[in-house]
Amino acid sequence: MDALDIFASAGLWAAVLRIATPLIFGTLGALICERAGVLNLGIEGIMTFGAMIGWMTVYQGGDLWLGLLAAALGGAAFGLLHALLTVTLGLSQHVTGLGITLFASSLTYFIFRLSVPVSGTPPTIVPFQVIHIPVLSDLPFLGEAVFAQTAPTYLAVALAIVIAWGLARTPLGLAVRIVGENPHAAEAQGIDPIRLRIGAVVFGSALMGMGGAFLTLAAFNSFFPTMVQGRGWVCIALVVFASWRPERALLGALLFALFDAYQLRLQHIVGKAVPYQLFLMIPYLMSIVALLVMARRARVPQALMQPFRRGER
């Protein structure tokens, strides 16, 4: 198999969907926060906490879906904290977000080490299993590539479609977009910008937690504190790449996942002739190039990172 033959492999495209799933959850969460005017740099810590608390719930005897719910609730709790500090009190969104990341990551490690004894091999759980959709999973190529995934992957794609429709076609979506563009105009129309921003940050952070939980409940079967590995920051970049549009966010997550899945397979072809670190750089370098191309045409929400105070203009 040469470098181009990799693209004809159904296994590559199946891996693309798996790798993209936590990015889809995280990017959608960050996008909703930012469309409402709030930058949430706590995403890295929220995903780490979601990965841990989801795994811990199942490890302690809970159901896999209960673990996913626990991750969403954990993410929502950190989102509420972030919203109270930035939306209600008007504190710096940059500083607060980074503080949330440090707090959530440290709390994750503390709880994990308190609950699980230190050992050479981390404990494991039984993760989500691949669901083969009748008839569709039997299709040549597409069946293996698209219709043989775990339930959270199907959920992530469905959420991207629903959120794209909701932001564009529903009164709630319109309200979120108005609050992110001009909260004072939204208030004049009877919308409460503070309440809506808090709700958007809480919901977006819940999605971030679910993105982290996918890593421990589906992609792998155990938890280690560094497993998120910068995916949260990638999600922040993907929001800009997507121009704050959910359908483009889905495309961006798939594109990054394609670069990542491709470099893993390319390593096996090239072997040790090229240092593997160069291959690990490929998805990030290609994402930077794509970001530079798309960012010039991106339209930032006008009220992003601007605190709202009643009576001020």
Side-chain angles (χ1 to χ4, degrees), residues 185-227:
E187 186 183 35
Q189 297 297 318
I191 298 171
D192 187 344
I194 292 179
R195 183 180 299 179
L196 197 59
R197 280 186 169 184
I198 291 175
V201 174
V202 169
F203 178 64
S205 299
L207 293 180
M208 297 173 189
M210 292 171 67
F214 175 84
L215 297 173
T216 50
L217 301 183
F220 306 102
N221 60 359
S222 61
F223 171 79
F224 52 93
T226 59
M227 69 187 311

Side-chain angles (χ1 to χ4, degrees), residues 222-286:
S222 61
F223 171 79
F224 52 93
T226 59
M227 69 187 311
V228 174
Q229 295 182 330
R231 287 179 175 88
W233 310 127
V234 172
C235 291
I236 295 294
L238 287 175
V239 172
V240 181
F241 170 83
S243 301
W244 289 268
R245 295 173 59 179
E247 64 276 10
R248 290 187 180 179
L250 175 60
L251 176 62
L254 292 172
L255 187 62
F256 181 88
L258 173 60
F259 295 147
D260 200 6
Y262 182 73
Q263 65 87 12
L264 289 172
R265 284 154 179 77
L266 197 59
Q267 286 187 47
H268 293 289
I269 294 177
V270 177
K272 297 182 179 180
V274 179
Y276 75 92
Q277 291 88 349
L278 293 177
F279 293 104
L280 295 177
M281 292 168 56
I282 290 177
Y284 299 96
L285 290 175
M286 296 302 293

Side-chain angles (χ1 to χ4, degrees), residues 137-153:
S137 60
D138 295 328
L139 293 174
F141 191 84
L142 281 178
E144 180 183 350
V146 179
F147 300 111
Q149 300 289 337
T150 58
T153 296

